[in-house]
Amino acid sequence: MLRIYCPYCEEHREEDEFTYGGEAHIVRPQDPDALSDKEWGHYLFHRKNIKGSHREMWFHAAGCRKFFNVQRNTVTYDIEAVYKAGESAPSANGEAGA
């Protein structure tokens, strides 16, 4: 089980308190009506599914009820960085700003 740090509550909590929200930093199309069915389907369903360092959204369902982002290694399950929604994604070395 993962122990996840919530940047809003400023505490490490058990994974059971959180809900996985999918890949982070997905940009919604500006004009969805202008997209073809294929382009819309790609936006909805195609994700990177990276082996290694991956940025994810998580929701603290049993706590502050806020979304935040986690950079996690999908091979080792190590959490490399945690940052609030709306903040810049961390660089490769785990520091915010990239």
Side-chain angles (χ1 to χ4, degrees):
M1 175 174 294
L2 294 174
R3 287 194 44 85
I4 301 172
Y5 179 79
C6 175
Y8 296 101
C9 297
E10 298 182 343
E11 294 181 328
H12 283 89
R13 308 297 295 187
E14 298 294 333
E15 180 181 0
D16 294 354
E17 289 194 12
F18 300 91
T19 302
Y20 176 74
E23 184 177 333
H25 306 290
I26 304 286
V27 178
R28 183 176 174 85
Q30 295 226 355
D31 186 7
D33 293 331
L35 299 179
S36 68
D37 287 345
K38 183 177 181 177
E39 291 168 324
W40 183 244
H42 191 274
Y43 163 72
L44 289 177
F45 303 113
H46 291 239
R47 298 295 178 251
K48 294 177 185 170
N49 199 20
I50 295 170
K51 182 178 181 179
S53 188
H54 180 64
R55 294 178 179 138
E56 309 167 329
M57 283 189 315
W58 285 81
F59 177 66
H60 196 177
C64 62
R65 303 193 55 79
K66 293 182 180 179
F67 280 95
F68 60 94
N69 297 315
V70 173
Q71 184 170 312
R72 180 177 66 87
N73 187 304
T74 60
V75 176
T76 64
Y77 291 94
D78 291 337
I79 294 176
E80 300 166 345
V82 177
Y83 53 104
K84 295 177 180 178
E87 289 183 352
S88 296
S91 62
N93 63 7
E95 295 178 13

